[in-house]
Amino acid sequence: RFGLLETEIIDIIGNRKRVSMMKWATIYRSLKKFLTPSGPSSRIDFYHPSFSAAIKEKYLSKLENFQKSLMTYYLNSNDKLRRAEELAYHCENCGEKEELTKAVTDWDVFDYWYDPVNKYELYQYCRSTGNIDSLDTFYLRMLENLEDIPNEELGHRYFRVAELLLYLGK
């Protein structure tokens, strides 16, 4: 969605094709003129959207499988920030409503998307779960399970959850 880190590309294609670092270096050097840093933390993306579309059409024609590979990768990722940034997007695009529900009810994902700019995307992900009627129960359980956090932070979490649920019509 926002480009991939070099380590993510190596992990993903390495798991599928057994790509060595030497092979990756060759691939990267060949593609370097078509790539550009994307976003913070030096993610890699294609320089031009039409080039990206051509690559997807030619090499990722089974995009659903590729999308699922990315979803699975982020489901198992230990990088909390990248997991929070990418997981809900890939779950939604794969139509994996149960995994999407788990993602939007994960504090790391919730905290990442709940800000003045991104919270509307969080609202959309919540709607896409098809599970709005149960989300209030999930969130209340999450709040009840919070332990050892200062009252002020607890109050902020209750406020954010309440605002989200109100926006969703709960």
Side-chain angles (χ1 to χ4, degrees):
R1 173 179 185 180
F2 296 121
L4 295 169
L5 297 172
E6 184 174 6
T7 54
E8 293 172 334
I9 295 169
I10 293 167
D11 285 348
I12 291 166
I13 63 174
N15 287 338
R16 299 175 112 202
K17 302 282 185 191
R18 304 271 183 236
V19 175
S20 67
M21 289 303 287
M22 182 78 115
K23 181 82 169 171
W24 165 247
T26 304
I27 293 168
Y28 183 77
R29 271 195 305 276
S30 299
L31 291 174
K32 190 173 182 174
K33 61 186 168 195
F34 302 108
L35 302 174
T36 184
S38 170
S41 71
S42 299
R43 290 176 227 150
I44 299 170
D45 203 355
F46 291 107
Y47 180 74
H48 197 275
S50 61
F51 189 71
S52 179
I55 292 291
K56 286 177 183 175
E57 185 178 319
K58 173 112 175 133
Y59 297 104
L60 304 174
S61 58
K62 297 179 181 172
L63 188 57
E64 186 177 308
N65 291 337
F66 181 68
Q67 193 85 45
K68 255 201 182 358
S69 294
L70 291 173
M71 182 189 77
T72 301
Y73 179 81
Y74 290 113
L75 276 169
N76 298 309
S77 177
N78 292 327
D79 185 334
K80 289 183 176 186
L81 176 61
R82 290 294 290 147
R83 186 176 188 278
E85 287 176 322
E86 299 285 348
L87 182 57
Y89 172 80
H90 293 294
C91 290
E92 181 182 46
N93 284 322
C94 289
E96 294 288 337
K97 293 182 177 191
E98 186 175 324
E99 292 299 339
L100 181 56
T101 300
K102 289 178 190 174
V104 298
T105 56
D106 175 284
W107 281 125
D108 291 328
V109 174
F110 182 90
D111 290 341
Y112 176 81
W113 288 106
Y114 192 94
D115 69 34
V117 174
N118 293 318
K119 66 182 174 185
Y120 299 102
E121 202 153 351
L122 176 63
Y123 299 162
Q124 177 56 44
Y125 290 140
C126 288
R127 281 197 176 92
S128 294
T129 66
N131 202 11
I132 291 175
D133 291 336
S134 299
L135 283 178
D136 55 351
T137 305
F138 287 125
Y139 283 117
L140 290 174
R141 229 181 274 140
M142 288 170 56
L143 289 166
E144 289 168 359
N145 290 331
L146 288 174
E147 296 176 0
D148 301 324
I149 67 168
N151 285 340
E152 186 174 340
E153 185 179 336
L154 185 60
H156 286 299
R157 286 203 185 270
Y158 269 92
F159 175 80
R160 292 180 194 135
V161 168
E163 185 179 49
L164 170 69
L165 294 175
L166 282 170
Y167 187 85
L168 296 173
K170 298 303 286 169

